[in-house]
Amino acid sequence: MDNSENKTYVRKKNINKNDRRVKKTNRMLREALMKLLEEKDIKEITVKELTEAADINRSTFYFYYEDIYDMVRQMQNEIYDVFFDTVIKRDSEFSDISEYVGYVKRFFDFCKENELQCKFVLNNDINNELTARIKKAVRDNIPDSAEKFPVTSPLHYLTTFAISGITGTVIEWMEDGMQADASYMAQFISSTYVLGAQEIKKAKF
C-alpha cells in the first residue's frame, strides 16, 4: 500500500454506526475493497484507488478510518463480534450429538449469511489474526480433548483436528458455492467428530 499518500485524518468520536448514511458509506467502501482484493494484494491498494472505486471522497474515508489497515481492523472486530454473538454466545453443554449439530450449523449459517465478509477473512493473509481469534473462541467453547488426555496420547489432539477439519470444510464448501445443505453438513461433521471419537477411544491408543 502506498503510505506516502497525503492524508488528513479527521474522524470524529462517537460515530453513529446505525445511521443509514454511515451504513451506506461503509458498505460501499467495503464492497469496493473486497472487489479490489480479488485483483491485487492489500499492500498494493491505495486510499485514492479505493475511494474512486467506491465513488466516495477521500476526506469521507478519513472521517471513518486512519488508513486501509485501520479499516480492515475495524472490519475484523465487527465480524468477530457478530460471529461470537451468533455462534459462540449460546448455552450448550454438549451432552449429546444434537448440541454439536446445532453448534456447527450456526457456524455454517453464519458463513452463508455473511458470505462476502467470510470470504474476505478466509482468502487474505492479513486476516490470520482474526482466524486465530475465531479458532480460539471455538476451542474455548467446546470440550477440549487436550484437557482430558495426556500429550502422549493421539486423543490429546482430537479437538485441534476437529477445528481444523471444520474450518477446512467450510472453506471448501464456500468455494463450491455452498450447494450442500447446511443442516446436512452440520450433521455430517458432528457425527464424524463425536462418533469417530468414540471409535478412537475403543481402539485404546
Side-chain angles (χ1 to χ4, degrees):
M1 182 163 46
D2 183 5
N3 292 319
S4 65
E5 292 183 274
N6 294 322
K7 65 182 183 182
T8 303
Y9 180 49
V10 295
R11 187 171 68 195
K12 299 177 181 179
K13 295 182 179 179
N14 301 320
I15 295 173
N16 182 6
K17 294 183 178 181
N18 292 318
D19 183 276
R20 285 186 300 174
R21 291 172 298 179
V22 173
K23 286 184 174 181
K24 181 180 179 181
T25 299
N26 275 315
R27 185 182 70 251
M28 292 171 68
L29 283 168
R30 294 177 183 193
E31 288 177 353
L33 177 60
M34 289 182 216
K35 187 172 182 179
L36 288 169
L37 283 168
E38 293 177 356
E39 305 169 359
K40 59 178 67 178
D41 189 275
I42 192 166
K43 295 189 292 293
E44 301 172 343
I45 300 173
T46 64
V47 172
K48 181 176 183 294
E49 182 179 22
L50 173 61
T51 52
E52 287 179 352
D55 195 22
I56 288 174
N57 293 329
R58 289 174 64 189
S59 60
T60 301
F61 174 90
Y62 288 120
F63 182 84
Y64 297 105
Y65 308 109
E66 293 182 20
D67 51 31
I68 290 179
Y69 287 103
D70 179 47
M71 177 180 173
V72 169
R73 282 191 293 271
Q74 290 192 43
M75 290 173 66
Q76 289 178 333
N77 290 334
E78 290 172 16
I79 293 169
Y80 178 81
D81 288 343
V82 173
F83 175 82
F84 189 88
D85 289 340
T86 303
V87 180
I88 303 295
K89 198 175 181 180
R90 302 290 182 90
D91 293 327
S92 296
E93 297 180 359
F94 298 101
S95 56
D96 58 58
I97 195 170
S98 64
E99 292 192 347
Y100 282 94
V101 173
Y103 184 82
V104 177
K105 186 177 183 299
R106 292 200 300 272
F107 200 125
F108 276 91
D109 287 342
F110 171 81
C111 291
K112 189 166 188 175
E113 292 166 8
N114 300 274
E115 182 180 358
L116 287 177
Q117 293 90 332
C118 288
K119 284 184 175 179
F120 172 71
V121 170
L122 297 170
N123 293 333
N124 293 280
D125 290 339
I126 195 170
N127 290 282
N128 284 343
E129 180 182 346
L130 178 57
T131 304
R133 289 177 67 191
I134 288 175
K135 286 185 176 181
K136 184 179 185 304
V138 172
R139 190 181 197 99
D140 291 345
N141 191 241
I142 65 176
D144 191 350
S145 62
E147 297 177 356
K148 295 184 177 181
F149 301 98
V151 71
T152 54
S153 169
L155 288 169
H156 180 87
Y157 302 99
L158 181 61
T159 300
T160 299
F161 174 81
I163 293 173
S164 297
I166 291 173
T167 305
T169 302
V170 168
I171 292 173
E172 190 160 342
W173 177 69
M174 293 187 72
E175 289 176 345
D176 289 341
M178 300 178 289
Q179 297 182 59
D181 182 78
S183 297
Y184 292 150
M185 293 295 294
Q187 183 70 49
F188 165 72
I189 287 176
S190 300
S191 297
T192 301
Y193 177 56
V194 176
L195 300 180
Q198 293 174 357
E199 291 301 315
I200 290 173
K201 288 179 183 178
K202 291 178 184 178
K204 297 181 180 180
F205 281 108

